[in-house]
Amino acid sequence: MPGSEARSTAALEVVSQLREALERHGLRLPSLRVERAATGEELVQLGGARPDVVRRLVEALRDRPPG
């Protein structure tokens, strides 16, 4: 199905963009991945992260305006 390939590409691209943005802040989420839910919808799984990593992520997001 062509539509599902496009979604997979879009989902993988957004995961790649998130990885790059996190790396600019010195952060890594090794469990970051795309999974398909039972409904067929794709979900970006952030996985688990240590509290210090989450704290740094919050700090990085606070420095950015919304949008």
Side-chain angles (χ1 to χ4, degrees), residues 18-40:
L18 179 55
R19 272 200 182 102
E20 290 173 12
L22 290 168
E23 286 176 11
R24 284 194 296 273
H25 291 280
L27 298 168
R28 278 185 2 111
L29 294 177
S31 299
L32 186 61
R33 65 190 178 281
V34 176
E35 290 185 350
R36 189 170 301 278
T39 61

Side-chain angles (χ1 to χ4, degrees), residues 48-59:
R50 296 185 324 261
D52 63 309
V53 172
V54 175
R55 186 175 301 111
R56 291 175 55 204
L57 179 56
V58 169
E59 290 168 2

